[in-house]
Amino acid sequence: MKIIDENKKREIISWATNMEDLLRSQAPEVAAEIHREILNFDEHKLTIAVVGMLKRGKSTFCNAFLGRRDDMLAPIGRFPTTGIISEFINAPGKESARVIFGDQSAQNIGYSEINSYVTEDGNPENKKNVYKVEVFGNFDLDNEITLIDLPGDESIYAYHSEIVYNYLPNADIIIFLSSANDPISFSELALLRKIKSSDMKKIFFVINKADKCDDEELNDAKQHDRQTLANAGIAIENNIYTISAKNAMNGNLDCFDFKKLLNDMSAFLNQDRNELVIQSFCGRIMAIAKPIIQDLYLTNKLANISAVELEEKISNLEQQKIQMTCELREGLEEFSDNWDEMLKEFENALPQIKNNVEETIIGEIQASSILSLNKKQIEKLPEKIAVTIEKEFSTACGVLEKRAEQNLKELEKNCPSVSCFFSEYNYTLTSRKTDISANGWIANLFYGSVAYITGNAISGAFSIGSGLMGGSGILGTIGNFVGSSINAVAGTAVSTLLGPLFILSTIVTTIGVGSQVASFIRKKQVQKEKLIQELRREIDGAFNSIKFEKIPYLRKQKEVLIAEIQKEFSKSVKSQEEKLQEALKDKKSNSNNLVNAEKRKLLLEEYSALEQQATQGNF
Amino acid sequence: MEKICNNILYLFHIASQNSEDDELKDLLENMYDRILDLRVRVNKETIEIAFVGKSNVGKSTLMNAVFGENVAPKRNGPYTAAVVEYRYGDKYSILLKKPDRVLVEIVSCDSPDELYGKLKAESTVSETADFAEAERIIVKLPSKLLKAGVVFYDTPGFGATKGENNDMGIHDGIVKSFLESQCCDQIFWIFRGDNPTRAELDFVKEYTSLYEDCNRLIVNVDEDDMPIDFQNKYKAKYLSDIKSLQGHVLFINAKNAEDAKKLQKKLEEYSANCHEYEKVLSVLLKRFCVHCSDFIHRYPVWDSCILAKIERLVKELNKNYLEETIIALKKLDKSIK
């Protein structure tokens, strides 16, 4: 299936080549860098990965997508078949495959041998140590696209799942195959959550095997899947597609949503996805060009100022520098104090939070009578702990985040002359202008908003959480980190106690409470205490780790921020001084002044034309 | 039988109180539990058979195949949330068992179709309060098989999800506590022919061990007459470490009438044989002895007098196939001394 629009790519490449030509006279090394970027962009292939649980028809789908009526290239079987990654690449006139082994060595093979490398029958438990198989052929596939067939998740072969998880981040589009006669299960949801940590927009949720159901069953499956995904907070942006890969492989593309799926994928790759790729490509090119252009712009501007005015500016800057350095020093001192105070408050809040957590969880266990602490209650414990911790932390973390942002804003407010300096000298070009008044000079130094900077500084400390839960911002990461560690341990502590407690309740109900039972109850009570002890220890552990690892890290983060701010500041001032001196020198020598000015002006004009093209997406 | 069970229970209880070792204690408690189950089973007049499987493997379809008429509603999704109990009644009717153990009769129907319609309506979204609260739905049918004293349980499918927070399979808890508390005579595990998953196999592995001697497996396949080499390969692949299922596998296409008859016949056979409690008890005790001798030399705290008592009790069963058990017990006794 062909789904890519080639022209657009050519246009962008020609735009980037213009930029390269423009800069060659001014800075050949920068032009060369742009050239390398262009080559990378040109070679980049889009990958479409077919993902799903075992026996969902992934290989059948691949065969259909390649326009094959047989299963020679992606073998199909009754048992979980595919055990290895296969990549399908269009190469007219070349009908062969290449096996890449785990030790990087490669071997060319014919189509008929593919089966003996990629299937569980031909290569049981991957004894041949294959990393992947690249299959070339005269496919009905865009040159830009690599189609990936992956093993199924959750099969009895655990290593299949490992292959899938490792591959997920590389894919540009993920076709998630589920099955119409097997509505979405817990394991599938877990797999989707793993994918979600990358980029949701690229997932196409497909219900395969629609041919195996009647209309009512298909409707049931669709409705259940949609509802389940919504409940799980997994927003699938695209439709849910029902297809029959088997029918498609037999040449019947018109049944169910197969064509619609292709169209939507095509639209995504050509528009949305392309836009993202282009944006990031253009962004990179512009970022490479920017320092040169900015330099030109400033030189151009200063060239129009008289020598007397320039001298005045130089002496002004001298004065300003003293004032600014003073201001910044004081400002940073206060910032440092504020930061410490903020962390101190956070730290002070910890015991209370811990107390609340313990009280809620342990209190409940203690309060329940021994006989009512049943299996259901214990099973719910890990969840309860996670929820409690998240609830208790949410306020404190929100405050932390806000305070950090406030502290930086305060710093800006305390240094008015610095702000003044930046608004006067930090020239930026037309469309990509960073609005100093909105973001402040600190943000401007680091090219981002203050919230982003503090967010980075803080969340770095907590990025241990798996990210699986997809929590947003600092709060999410803290919650994840704390939640997951306690969750895991509480889980094991709880499960060891489940068995005995259950026996207890059977005994009590069948024999009735007698003297024999009393001794059993005593025993269980000891175990309840053991559970509480275990929980206390784990909660202690988690909070200690926040106190002795995370908070010190945040403290250090402050030093990093201050050093960065000082470094960037003095760099800006110094370059400003140099610029002014240079302009004055040029003015005095008066050499080639007019010619250079003309040339500069032309270059700048050309650049803004290119820049405008990029921002408007009009190539 | 009941008396023997009671005596053994008592001995095990004393033994577990007197032993210092955790491992031994666990073993004893486990045995205690098993024999408790057995005692409950001895007292029952019915034969209880449960159908257990992942969601959408075709439990309800099989249920219908067993009765030879459409009564169990099948939906494509995790709809059956409570265990459905099928037992004999001279008319078609539905009763609900609430958590407070109150039985509410809500519907009586004239035909299986009406019953099916009612169950189906209730199994979808519009659950009425009575149904939503019920922890068991009891369906009475005038079926020949049921009249012989058989009770069937159709359990909710495990592994299903509705995607809610921290949802580890919405019905897993219900199925697990059912398996742990019901003491069924037979458990029919149901797989689909194409894909037992790792999680599914783990679940089955864990809970087959709870019902060591009464597990059966039905593999619900799409095609009639699965080739024998497929069957063998299937067993080798998936059942290699679920020993108690290995000899008891039935490949059936639930939608095929012939296969349905085959299943009905099998069920009649099973239910005729499953009340040999002495045999079950002797197997249990034998296994127990093997376990014990594994670590008994490490912990010679076992009261040999208790062993002798157990031996005497076992003798009371006075059945030929118990000889082996007695030999095993004697060996154990020796190793202690």
XYZ file of all heavy atoms in Angstrom, chain A residues 309-371:
514
model
N 27.597 58.320 19.536
C 26.549 57.570 20.231
C 27.073 56.226 20.719
O 26.768 55.776 21.824
C 25.380 57.332 19.273
C 24.073 57.907 19.796
C 22.956 57.734 18.780
O 23.086 58.292 17.655
O 21.988 57.029 19.104
N 27.893 55.602 19.861
C 28.473 54.310 20.212
C 29.336 54.425 21.455
O 29.255 53.608 22.374
C 29.303 53.764 19.059
C 28.547 52.986 17.983
C 29.492 52.605 16.850
C 27.892 51.748 18.560
N 30.181 55.493 21.458
C 31.067 55.701 22.608
C 30.249 55.894 23.886
O 30.567 55.361 24.948
C 31.981 56.907 22.369
C 33.275 56.461 21.706
C 34.081 57.636 21.174
O 33.622 58.786 21.289
O 35.163 57.370 20.623
N 29.167 56.629 23.713
C 28.296 56.862 24.857
C 27.723 55.543 25.382
O 27.709 55.270 26.571
C 27.141 57.771 24.424
C 26.445 58.458 25.580
C 25.306 59.333 25.068
O 25.525 60.031 24.047
O 24.218 59.259 25.634
N 27.290 54.711 24.445
C 26.710 53.410 24.818
C 27.730 52.555 25.559
O 27.406 51.867 26.531
C 26.242 52.653 23.563
C 24.814 53.001 23.182
C 24.293 52.045 22.131
C 22.946 52.487 21.576
N 21.865 52.514 22.563
N 28.983 52.629 25.061
C 30.023 51.816 25.694
C 30.232 52.245 27.142
O 30.282 51.417 28.058
C 31.345 51.905 24.903
C 31.182 51.142 23.580
C 32.497 51.285 25.703
C 32.321 51.341 22.614
N 30.309 53.529 27.324
C 30.552 53.975 28.706
C 29.331 53.716 29.582
O 29.441 53.387 30.764
C 30.974 55.443 28.743
O 29.843 56.264 28.549
N 28.150 53.824 28.983
C 26.920 53.514 29.728
C 26.909 52.061 30.193
O 26.569 51.769 31.335
C 25.695 53.731 28.841
C 25.192 55.144 28.960
O 25.679 55.900 29.800
N 24.235 55.487 28.125
N 27.302 51.207 29.261
C 27.282 49.772 29.562
C 28.241 49.471 30.712
O 27.956 48.634 31.583
C 27.669 48.979 28.308
C 27.597 47.455 28.451
C 26.202 47.009 28.826
C 28.032 46.773 27.162
N 29.389 50.190 30.705
C 30.382 50.042 31.775
C 29.725 50.274 33.134
O 29.858 49.471 34.057
C 31.505 51.066 31.518
C 32.839 50.682 32.120
C 33.329 49.320 31.607
O 33.146 48.993 30.407
O 33.864 48.571 32.432
N 29.004 51.372 33.200
C 28.291 51.748 34.437
C 27.225 50.713 34.783
O 27.132 50.238 35.909
C 27.598 53.101 34.223
C 28.551 54.239 34.016
C 28.404 55.244 35.118
O 27.281 55.602 35.481
N 29.526 55.691 35.660
N 26.441 50.432 33.721
C 25.317 49.496 33.877
C 25.807 48.172 34.428
O 25.160 47.539 35.250
C 24.699 49.249 32.491
C 23.200 49.379 32.462
C 22.701 49.188 31.037
O 23.411 49.478 30.077
N 21.500 48.700 30.907
N 26.995 47.756 33.926
C 27.542 46.453 34.290
C 27.740 46.371 35.798
O 27.375 45.367 36.434
C 28.887 46.269 33.582
C 29.285 44.813 33.436
C 30.453 44.695 32.501
C 31.656 44.086 33.219
N 32.842 44.085 32.357
N 28.303 47.439 36.364
C 28.545 47.432 37.814
C 27.220 47.294 38.561
O 27.051 46.453 39.443
C 29.263 48.733 38.246
C 30.614 48.807 37.542
C 29.423 48.769 39.757
C 31.263 50.165 37.611
N 26.267 48.097 38.126
C 24.964 48.083 38.799
C 24.298 46.703 38.669
O 23.778 46.151 39.634
C 24.076 49.148 38.164
C 22.878 49.505 39.039
C 21.870 50.336 38.270
O 22.184 50.881 37.217
N 20.673 50.436 38.810
N 24.379 46.167 37.438
C 23.713 44.885 37.182
C 24.328 43.765 38.002
O 23.637 42.946 38.600
C 23.793 44.529 35.691
C 22.830 45.311 34.833
S 22.703 44.618 33.180
C 24.313 44.906 32.538
N 25.681 43.730 38.023
C 26.364 42.670 38.754
C 25.951 42.703 40.218
O 25.679 41.668 40.842
C 27.890 42.842 38.638
O 28.199 43.166 37.298
C 28.616 41.581 39.048
N 25.898 43.933 40.731
C 25.512 44.125 42.119
C 24.093 43.602 42.366
O 23.829 42.821 43.276
C 25.614 45.612 42.424
S 25.663 45.939 44.169
N 23.210 44.060 41.482
C 21.802 43.683 41.577
C 21.632 42.157 41.516
O 20.933 41.565 42.334
C 21.056 44.276 40.374
C 19.873 45.129 40.736
C 19.305 45.761 39.474
O 19.218 45.066 38.446
O 18.952 46.952 39.531
N 22.335 41.569 40.558
C 22.191 40.137 40.336
C 22.720 39.361 41.536
O 22.119 38.359 41.964
C 22.949 39.737 39.066
C 22.655 38.322 38.547
C 21.200 38.171 38.160
C 23.534 38.002 37.343
N 23.856 39.880 42.100
C 24.418 39.184 43.244
C 23.399 39.155 44.388
O 23.107 38.116 44.972
C 25.721 39.844 43.680
C 26.569 38.900 44.543
C 27.860 39.536 44.999
N 27.652 40.843 45.591
C 28.302 41.942 45.219
N 29.195 41.882 44.240
N 28.075 43.091 45.808
N 22.853 40.330 44.656
C 21.870 40.409 45.744
C 20.639 39.559 45.434
O 20.121 38.837 46.288
C 21.452 41.869 45.991
C 22.451 42.613 46.842
C 22.202 44.120 46.802
O 21.074 44.530 46.438
O 23.135 44.868 47.119
N 20.227 39.684 44.178
C 19.036 38.930 43.758
C 19.241 37.436 43.927
O 18.372 36.729 44.441
N 20.406 36.985 43.521
C 20.678 35.551 43.589
C 20.789 35.079 45.035
O 20.391 33.958 45.364
C 21.953 35.208 42.823
C 21.792 35.155 41.298
C 23.141 34.922 40.619
C 20.813 34.077 40.869
N 21.333 35.963 45.884
C 21.408 35.594 47.296
C 20.010 35.352 47.848
O 19.746 34.366 48.534
C 22.098 36.698 48.104
C 23.581 36.411 48.320
C 24.326 37.642 48.821
O 23.689 38.470 49.521
O 25.520 37.770 48.504
N 19.145 36.279 47.512
C 17.779 36.149 48.005
C 17.120 34.904 47.401
O 16.425 34.154 48.087
C 16.968 37.393 47.647
C 15.731 37.528 48.521
C 14.902 38.745 48.126
O 15.495 39.779 47.781
O 13.670 38.624 48.143
N 17.396 34.714 46.120
C 16.850 33.545 45.429
C 17.287 32.260 46.124
O 16.491 31.357 46.380
C 17.333 33.558 43.973
C 17.025 32.311 43.212
C 15.735 32.037 42.786
C 18.026 31.381 42.933
C 15.446 30.885 42.088
C 17.742 30.229 42.237
C 16.450 29.977 41.812
N 18.588 32.247 46.469
C 19.134 31.069 47.131
C 18.435 30.824 48.468
O 18.053 29.699 48.785
C 20.634 31.271 47.310
O 21.146 30.331 48.202
N 18.273 31.921 49.219
C 17.583 31.789 50.520
C 16.163 31.283 50.324
O 15.692 30.394 51.031
C 17.528 33.147 51.241
C 18.912 33.551 51.716
O 19.802 32.671 51.715
O 19.095 34.730 52.057
N 15.497 31.867 49.345
C 14.106 31.467 49.081
C 13.991 30.003 48.716
O 13.087 29.305 49.154
C 13.525 32.300 47.929
C 13.160 33.693 48.390
O 13.058 33.939 49.590
N 13.002 34.606 47.450
N 14.934 29.600 47.889
C 14.932 28.203 47.430
C 15.101 27.257 48.627
O 14.400 26.268 48.760
C 16.047 28.011 46.398
C 16.004 26.706 45.666
C 16.557 25.527 46.071
C 15.381 26.424 44.408
N 16.328 24.543 45.143
C 15.609 25.063 44.103
C 14.658 27.198 43.496
C 15.143 24.466 42.928
C 14.207 26.598 42.330
C 14.432 25.246 42.068
N 16.087 27.622 49.491
C 16.314 26.791 50.684
C 15.073 26.750 51.558
O 14.687 25.697 52.067
C 17.488 27.353 51.503
C 18.805 27.073 50.816
O 18.826 26.208 49.916
O 19.811 27.717 51.163
N 14.487 27.930 51.705
C 13.314 28.011 52.568
C 12.172 27.150 52.018
O 11.500 26.418 52.745
C 12.866 29.467 52.648
C 11.957 29.748 53.827
C 11.414 31.161 53.736
O 12.208 32.064 53.371
O 10.221 31.347 53.972
N 12.052 27.238 50.686
C 11.002 26.456 50.019
C 11.205 24.965 50.278
O 10.268 24.245 50.624
C 11.072 26.780 48.528
C 10.500 25.739 47.600
S 10.839 26.194 45.891
C 12.109 25.026 45.465
N 12.445 24.503 50.156
C 12.721 23.085 50.390
C 12.527 22.725 51.851
O 12.061 21.636 52.181
C 14.141 22.738 49.951
C 14.353 22.702 48.446
C 15.790 22.365 48.117
C 13.428 21.679 47.794
N 12.896 23.679 52.701
C 12.746 23.431 54.127
C 11.271 23.216 54.450
O 10.900 22.316 55.203
C 13.304 24.615 54.915
C 13.462 24.302 56.377
C 14.683 25.005 56.965
C 15.029 24.363 58.287
N 16.176 23.591 58.331
N 10.462 24.079 53.877
C 9.028 23.953 54.135
C 8.499 22.615 53.625
O 7.687 21.959 54.273
C 8.263 25.090 53.463
C 7.991 26.228 54.436
C 7.439 27.435 53.730
O 6.555 27.265 52.855
O 7.903 28.550 54.042
N 9.008 22.241 52.462
C 8.596 20.955 51.903
C 9.009 19.820 52.837
O 8.244 18.914 53.129
C 9.239 20.776 50.519
C 8.853 19.502 49.821
C 7.546 19.290 49.410
C 9.794 18.515 49.575
C 7.182 18.121 48.764
C 9.443 17.344 48.928
C 8.141 17.157 48.532
N 10.245 19.945 53.302
C 10.776 18.927 54.206
C 9.967 18.903 55.504
O 9.653 17.836 56.035
C 12.246 19.222 54.488
C 12.996 18.013 54.986
C 14.469 18.312 55.206
O 14.979 19.277 54.604
O 15.087 17.582 55.979
N 9.644 20.105 55.997
C 8.870 20.177 57.241
C 7.478 19.566 57.087
O 6.909 19.054 58.043
C 8.734 21.630 57.706
C 10.047 22.139 58.258
O 10.930 21.355 58.601
N 10.192 23.456 58.322
N 6.994 19.679 55.861
C 5.644 19.134 55.644
C 5.658 17.608 55.584
O 4.644 16.958 55.787
C 5.067 19.701 54.355
N 6.835 17.054 55.313
C 6.915 15.595 55.131
C 6.399 14.766 56.310
O 5.601 13.854 56.105
C 8.358 15.170 54.803
C 8.797 15.357 53.353
C 10.234 14.881 53.175
C 7.900 14.595 52.394
N 6.847 15.073 57.544
C 6.364 14.237 58.662
C 4.851 14.197 58.746
O 4.257 13.148 58.996
C 6.967 14.914 59.887
C 8.136 15.669 59.387
C 7.811 16.083 57.993
N 4.251 15.372 58.499
C 2.794 15.420 58.564
C 2.181 14.525 57.483
O 1.248 13.759 57.737
C 2.325 16.882 58.390
C 0.841 17.085 58.537
C 0.356 16.666 59.928
O 0.997 16.969 60.936
N -0.748 15.946 59.989
N 2.761 14.629 56.281
C 2.263 13.809 55.179
C 2.410 12.333 55.526
O 1.489 11.532 55.380
C 3.043 14.104 53.878
C 2.823 15.557 53.459
C 2.627 13.171 52.758
C 3.643 15.978 52.272
N 3.594 12.008 56.032
C 3.867 10.624 56.390
C 2.874 10.145 57.437
O 2.331 9.044 57.354
C 5.291 10.533 56.916
C 5.741 9.120 57.132
C 7.177 9.098 57.609
C 7.424 7.848 58.411
N 8.657 7.906 59.173
N 2.679 11.028 58.408
C 1.749 10.717 59.476
C 0.363 10.401 58.916
O -0.271 9.418 59.275
C 1.663 11.922 60.411
C 1.539 11.472 61.843
O 1.569 10.267 62.102
N 1.401 12.400 62.747
N -0.078 11.286 58.023
C -1.401 11.099 57.438
C -1.486 9.783 56.675
O -2.473 9.071 56.764
C -1.734 12.255 56.483
C -1.943 13.549 57.228
O -1.992 13.556 58.465
N -2.039 14.644 56.507
N -0.418 9.514 55.926
C -0.396 8.273 55.144
C -0.496 7.081 56.079
O -1.321 6.185 55.906
C 0.895 8.184 54.300
C 1.031 6.797 53.684
C 0.884 9.238 53.216
N 0.352 7.097 57.095
C 0.366 5.973 58.028
C -0.967 5.824 58.728
O -1.494 4.725 58.871
C 1.465 6.166 59.068
C 2.805 5.693 58.577
C 3.862 5.792 59.657
O 3.628 6.504 60.658
O 4.897 5.173 59.500
N -1.473 6.965 59.156
C -2.721 6.927 59.906
C -3.838 6.316 59.067
O -4.586 5.458 59.524
C -3.112 8.344 60.317
C -3.426 8.448 61.791
C -3.416 9.890 62.205
O -4.298 10.633 61.721
O -2.530 10.269 62.986
N -3.912 6.807 57.836
C -4.993 6.329 56.986
C -4.890 4.830 56.741
O -5.872 4.097 56.855
C -4.949 7.050 55.621
O -4.709 8.415 55.859
C -6.222 6.843 54.850
N -3.667 4.386 56.410
C -3.526 2.993 55.997
C -3.500 2.045 57.188
O -4.290 1.115 57.292
C -2.245 2.828 55.170
C -2.390 3.625 53.879
C -1.987 1.367 54.864
C -1.112 3.906 53.199
N -2.567 2.347 58.096
C -2.404 1.424 59.223
C -3.596 1.511 60.157
O -4.071 0.506 60.681
C -1.079 1.703 59.940
C 0.054 1.343 58.991
C -0.983 0.927 61.240
C 1.413 1.706 59.438
N -4.085 2.736 60.296
C -5.258 2.917 61.141
C -6.391 2.010 60.723
O -7.055 1.393 61.547
N -6.540 1.912 59.430
C -7.655 1.102 58.937
C -7.459 -0.373 59.242
O -8.380 -1.085 59.635
C -7.807 1.306 57.431
C -9.012 0.604 56.909
C -9.409 1.154 55.547
O -9.228 2.377 55.330
O -9.885 0.373 54.738
N -6.207 -0.826 59.077
C -5.933 -2.231 59.361
C -6.144 -2.510 60.839
O -6.744 -3.504 61.233
C -4.491 -2.590 58.969
C -4.299 -2.394 57.471
C -4.172 -4.022 59.359
C -2.897 -2.613 57.025
N -5.638 -1.578 61.658
C -5.765 -1.792 63.084
C -7.216 -1.777 63.539
O -7.623 -2.566 64.389
C -4.978 -0.723 63.840
C -3.679 -1.290 64.362
C -2.678 -0.211 64.679
O -2.940 0.975 64.444
N -1.550 -0.596 65.215
N -7.961 -0.861 62.924
C -9.344 -0.701 63.366
C -10.188 -1.926 63.022
O -11.095 -2.291 63.756
C -9.949 0.532 62.735
N -9.863 -2.574 61.906
C -10.700 -3.694 61.497
C -10.481 -4.857 62.458
O -9.354 -5.141 62.857
C -10.341 -4.121 60.081
O -9.008 -4.529 60.057
N -11.551 -5.518 62.797
C -11.421 -6.656 63.695
C -10.721 -7.762 62.929
O -10.748 -7.799 61.712
C -12.788 -7.128 64.156
O -13.298 -8.045 63.232
N -10.100 -8.653 63.631
C -9.279 -9.657 62.970
C -10.060 -10.459 61.950
O -9.577 -10.797 60.888
C -8.616 -10.575 64.023
C -7.861 -11.722 63.347
C -9.636 -11.151 64.996
C -6.702 -11.286 62.549
N -11.313 -10.710 62.231
C -12.064 -11.569 61.321
C -12.523 -10.840 60.071
O -12.805 -11.454 59.065
C -13.272 -12.165 62.046
C -12.882 -13.114 63.174
C -14.119 -13.694 63.813
C -11.984 -14.217 62.658
